[in-house]
Amino acid sequence: MNAFALHDATDHAGVRRWSASSIAILAAHAALIALFMNWYTPRPPPGATLPAIMVENGAGIGGAAID
């Protein structure tokens, strides 16, 4: 069966199959778009300052590192 079979309306089972498959494909695409929209985190606008992160080396500020 191909897309030209949709023009022959005598076989309603084929139309239902094509409709169900197109709905399934649209649902899969919508799910992927929703997943991407929830996963994507926008970057801050240029010029915005981000909070600084301080990491200690184990000896405190200004001390020698402990091996």
Side-chain angles (χ1 to χ4, degrees), residues 6-41:
L6 291 174
H7 297 289
D8 182 24
T10 58
D11 183 21
H12 294 293
V15 173
R16 282 192 300 268
R17 271 195 308 268
W18 277 93
S19 298
S21 64
S22 64
I23 289 171
I25 290 171
L26 286 174
H29 280 89
L32 287 174
I33 290 170
L35 176 69
F36 176 73
M37 294 298 287
N38 286 330
W39 182 34
Y40 174 74
T41 55

Side-chain angles (χ1 to χ4, degrees), residues 33-65:
I33 290 170
L35 176 69
F36 176 73
M37 294 298 287
N38 286 330
W39 182 34
Y40 174 74
T41 55
R43 294 181 183 205
T49 58
L50 296 175
I53 299 174
M54 179 179 271
V55 180
E56 290 189 23
N57 63 1
I61 298 175

